[in-house]
Amino acid sequence: MDVWKQILRRLEAQVSRENYSNWLEPIRLSHVDDQHALHLLVPNASAQQWLESEYQETILDAARSLSLTFESVVFTLNGTAAPFEMNRSAATARQTSFDFRAAASCFHPRYTFDTFVVGSCNEFASAAAHAVAHNPGRAYNPLYLYGGVGMGKTHLMQGIGQELQKNFPHLRVIYITSEQFMNEMINSLRYNRMSSFHERFRSADALLVDDIQMISSKERTQEEFFHTFNSLHHMEKQIVLSSDRTPRQIPGVVDRLRSRFSWGLLADIQPPDLETKMAILDRKAEESSVNLPDKVRSYVAMQMRSNIRELEGALIRLTAISSLTGADISLSMAKQALGSIISVSECKATIDSIQGIVSQEFGLQPGKLQERTNVKAISFPRQIAMYLCKELTGASLPEIGRAFNGKHHTTVLHSVAKVERLRQRDPNLNKLIHKLTDRFN
Ligand code: ADP
Ligand code: MG
């Protein structure tokens, strides 16, 4: 979307419908000049006069609210002096480069370090992000963040960008998704502007590329990104990448690029545990001044899966219902309002259901976990199942032992402690346990 369209959206909310369609809607963007003047094209002389006298400040204000600072607005008649059509490629060229500069300051205002809740699931990634934001190009280069959908990668990455701008205002920080990178490249190829494309990206002090997995199988994009990467890395400029999986798991990436992704630090964001989910709900409720009773908070955190975006969605839904009906948020309201979302994932954690789900996960026939054998292929899943029974059901150790073909309660205790210990050390096991736990959420 061009800058003017963004500003228009703001204006639409501020002026009357009539004034908007009479005066503002017909305006087109011409370009932005070196003096930071916004040049707009207007359809006739009376509109030009009226806009000059009445709307300059309103437009500048609307731009400011989007963190776009212009010195002035210049209204030119569309179709005079510099015909728009003839000048289009020049205008597009200027506008693209401008958009690009603006993009740097167009971070989502809410995606900062301050609003990012840190828990054991994202502690490591968050620490790495802070290190990079305070010591760009030096700490870890590149920093590669990975994790599932809705886990906070974009949030953390934009947090790095905004913190960098705050700490080092002179740095040129670029945030872009790999798809936008590709689109910019295609446009530059089409309009013969590859040299300015190179110049733009290679003159960045920090380049943050979100969802890098999207360049999978895009050869030309990979080629361009490879050179951009080399050039920036060589100059010790910070690179941050995010992806929904590890470099090794992205298909269709050339080896030389894949290996570069792992040159610095790989940091994963795991699904949030119950405590983190509750802390996030608290924070979001506070941010939007919503009163979320403790009971509702635990209910939502326990029932929702681990996707934080969905967690936010649940809160938004409750807030909306509460404001529409004028009733406070309550447990019964939450149960009713979220029932349809939750019922899909609802499955009660019982010793039986845990045994079933663990067997399924490890491809074991029902009943295998209860067999008296110490073959690792069975004893390991059994230990995990015991651990989950202890964590997720109210069953006592002897009860759990009985359900596993009369195992002694000390054996159960030993298994639980072992899985707990391994889980601290082995991120894959930790992830597996989260995944299994989620089946019961
Ligand atoms: P991803 O890019 O991993 O798919 P996002 O960064 O878009 O996820 O996060 C999804 C939503 O969840 C965003 O609104 C974000 O603000 C929120 N969110 C994710 N992680 C956290 C966190 N740790 N603290 C606060 N909000 C979070
Ligand atoms: Mg994202």
Side-chain angles (χ1 to χ4, degrees):
M1 191 158 54
D2 74 32
V3 259
W4 174 242
K5 289 213 178 98
Q6 294 184 32
I7 298 172
L8 256 189
R9 266 207 193 160
R10 278 290 150 114
L11 291 167
E12 191 174 12
Q14 285 168 15
V15 304
S16 75
R17 179 74 230 149
E18 206 182 327
N19 280 338
Y20 177 78
S21 55
N22 279 347
W23 306 112
L24 299 170
E25 212 172 22
I27 299 177
R28 297 285 171 266
L29 176 70
S30 169
H31 64 279
V32 176
D33 69 20
D34 300 340
Q35 262 72 53
H36 288 270
L38 176 64
H39 290 256
L40 300 174
L41 300 171
V42 296
N44 54 53
S46 56
Q48 185 183 25
Q49 269 180 359
W50 181 249
L51 286 162
E52 267 166 6
S53 70
E54 301 300 316
Y55 280 96
Q56 295 234 27
E57 276 312 307
T58 318
I59 290 173
L60 289 174
D61 276 344
R64 233 170 269 135
S65 73
L66 293 164
S67 317
L68 303 166
T69 37
F70 297 112
E71 294 301 326
S72 57
V73 188
V74 181
F75 299 99
T76 313
L77 280 186
N78 200 355
T80 57
F84 186 51
E85 280 307 317
M86 271 176 59
N87 245 359
R88 192 200 243 147
S89 59
T92 334
R94 269 179 255 152
Q95 189 212 319
T96 316
S97 69
F98 173 76
D99 265 356
F100 174 79
R101 256 188 284 153
S105 54
C106 278
F107 286 116
H108 195 306
R110 225 169 28 80
Y111 290 176
T112 61
F113 283 167
D114 285 349
T115 56
F116 191 82
V117 176
V118 180
S120 55
C121 54
N122 55 27
E123 210 169 16
F124 181 61
S126 159
H130 278 265
V132 159
H134 290 100
N135 214 350
R138 303 284 154 114
Y140 310 108
N141 208 10
L143 171 61
Y144 184 102
L145 300 167
Y146 70 96
V149 177
M151 298 289 141
K153 301 179 297 293
T154 298
H155 187 144
L156 199 53
M157 199 179 218
Q158 294 213 357
I160 297 177
Q162 306 205 54
E163 190 71 15
L164 278 172
Q165 286 194 323
K166 199 166 85 188
N167 295 339
F168 311 96
H170 61 283
L171 289 194
R172 217 166 114 78
V173 180
I174 299 175
Y175 166 87
I176 194 166
T177 66
S178 70
E179 240 179 337
Q180 286 167 336
F181 181 87
M182 181 179 74
N183 290 337
E184 292 238 0
M185 183 198 77
I186 293 171
N187 270 329
S188 305
L189 281 169
R190 188 158 71 206
Y191 294 111
N192 272 331
R193 291 201 313 258
M194 277 316 274
S195 56
S196 70
F197 176 86
H198 292 150
E199 159 66 20
R200 284 202 317 252
F201 285 100
R202 294 178 198 176
S203 64
D205 295 303
L207 178 62
L208 319 175
V209 185
D210 209 349
D211 290 323
I212 192 75
Q213 77 275 4
M214 307 293 268
I215 65 167
S216 146
S217 309
K218 315 258 172 35
E219 279 167 31
R220 180 71 206 249
T221 313
Q222 289 186 24
E223 171 84 18
E224 276 307 324
F225 188 65
F226 175 74
H227 294 299
T228 308
F229 185 104
N230 286 346
S231 155
L232 292 177
H233 196 272
H234 179 70
M235 293 184 293
E236 296 193 339
K237 305 295 188 188
Q238 182 66 48
I239 300 165
V240 182
L241 307 169
S242 88
S243 170
D244 62 355
R245 55 200 101 161
T246 64
R248 246 198 289 165
Q249 290 165 334
I250 311 180
V253 173
V254 291
D255 285 344
R256 53 186 188 161
L257 195 53
R258 191 194 301 281
S259 72
R260 276 164 176 75
F261 289 169
S262 317
W263 271 3
L265 181 72
L266 302 189
D268 67 332
I269 305 189
Q270 304 216 349
D273 46 275
L274 190 63
E275 267 172 44
T276 313
K277 283 197 272 185
M278 295 215 268
I280 290 174
L281 281 171
D282 268 345
R283 180 71 73 84
K284 307 266 169 198
E286 198 185 302
E287 274 169 22
S288 40
S289 317
V290 172
N291 180 23
L292 187 69
D294 284 354
K295 268 194 195 148
V296 181
R297 182 192 62 171
S298 348
Y299 174 77
V300 176
M302 265 189 305
Q303 301 297 323
M304 295 303 291
R305 282 176 173 275
S306 305
N307 181 328
I308 299 175
R309 193 173 289 123
E310 285 174 14
L311 201 64
E312 276 183 331
L315 184 63
I316 291 171
R317 191 168 167 149
L318 293 181
T319 314
I321 293 175
S322 153
S323 76
L324 286 174
T325 59
D328 287 341
I329 295 179
S330 68
L331 190 57
S332 60
M333 174 202 279
K335 282 188 174 161
Q336 206 180 5
L338 306 178
S340 57
I341 310 175
I342 287 162
S343 58
V344 187
S345 58
E346 199 163 32
C347 167
K348 224 173 152 19
T350 61
I351 296 181
D352 262 2
S353 63
I354 290 174
Q355 288 177 337
I357 279 179
V358 172
S359 303
Q360 199 186 9
E361 176 68 30
F362 286 89
L364 299 174
Q365 297 294 327
K368 275 278 176 200
L369 289 178
Q370 285 95 320
E371 272 181 16
R372 285 197 172 271
T373 164
N374 281 328
V375 178
K376 186 139 192 268
I378 295 177
S379 67
F380 186 55
R382 182 163 56 216
Q383 287 165 342
I384 292 178
M386 287 179 173
Y387 174 82
L388 291 173
C389 290
K390 182 80 194 73
E391 287 285 293
L392 303 177
T393 72
S396 65
L397 295 175
E399 269 173 310
I400 297 173
R402 273 198 294 282
F404 286 85
N405 200 5
K407 289 272 182 211
H408 195 257
H409 69 88
T410 52
T411 309
V412 180
L413 184 64
H414 169 78
S415 301
V416 171
K418 182 176 164 194
V419 173
E420 181 63 55
R421 210 171 47 241
L422 284 178
R423 179 181 184 182
Q424 307 285 339
R425 285 207 310 258
D426 179 354
N428 287 330
L429 177 62
N430 192 30
K431 211 174 278 174
L432 173 67
I433 288 174
H434 272 298
K435 182 174 134 196
L436 293 170
T437 310
D438 263 1
R439 303 278 295 269
F440 302 102
N441 281 337

